[in-house]
Amino acid sequence: ETTHPRHTSVVLEKDAAHIKLPVGKSVECIVSDARSPSDFWVTPNSSVDKLDHLLDVMADMVVPALPYLPVAGELCAAQFSADLMWYRAVVNCIMDDVVEVTFVDFGNSETTTTKSLQPL
């Protein structure tokens, strides 16, 4: 776990583990990405406030002066091209300075450059 320097009370979790939803019980969720009936990403309503707070903290992130070279499978912060905001992402693959990431809290993926990534 890493504490963001501007918000010492907030922890940016380096573990982006999946949570298990209870079988046979209803859980109210927000669907953030759906590729098929068996491949989708949801956020339980009970976790929305925590996620919103994490996103607020990440919005204040400053791009470091030193270059960052991630490795495949690493959790990092990635700037989403549609809104230029920072989100937690896992690195899928790297080719030179081109990187494919999946945004772990929403499920969508995109190709970006190493300049749009930073360590958590």
Side-chain angles (χ1 to χ4, degrees), residues 10-69:
V10 176
V11 175
L12 297 178
E13 297 174 15
K14 286 200 168 225
D15 178 16
H18 294 102
I19 60 169
K20 292 187 178 187
L21 299 176
V23 176
K25 294 189 177 192
S26 295
V27 177
E28 291 189 27
C29 297
I30 297 171
V31 177
S32 55
D33 192 59
R35 297 179 189 128
S36 73
S38 62
D39 186 9
F40 56 91
W41 293 68
V42 299
T43 301
N45 288 356
S46 61
S47 298
V48 169
D49 288 341
K50 181 179 177 182
L51 178 59
D52 285 344
H53 187 65
L54 176 66
L55 296 176
D56 287 343
V57 170
M58 293 188 72
D60 292 337
M61 294 181 88
V62 177
V63 178
L66 299 174
Y68 170 58
L69 301 173

Side-chain angles (χ1 to χ4, degrees), residues 16 18 33 35 39 41 74-78 80 87-93 99-112 117:
H18 294 102
D33 192 59
R35 297 179 189 128
D39 186 9
W41 293 68
E74 185 175 356
L75 186 67
C76 64
F80 183 46
Y87 300 96
R88 296 186 311 161
V90 66
V91 176
N92 298 328
C93 64
V99 181
E100 180 186 292
V101 298
T102 297
F103 295 97
V104 299
D105 297 305
F106 300 98
N108 55 315
S109 300
E110 77 174 9
T111 301
T112 187
L117 303 178

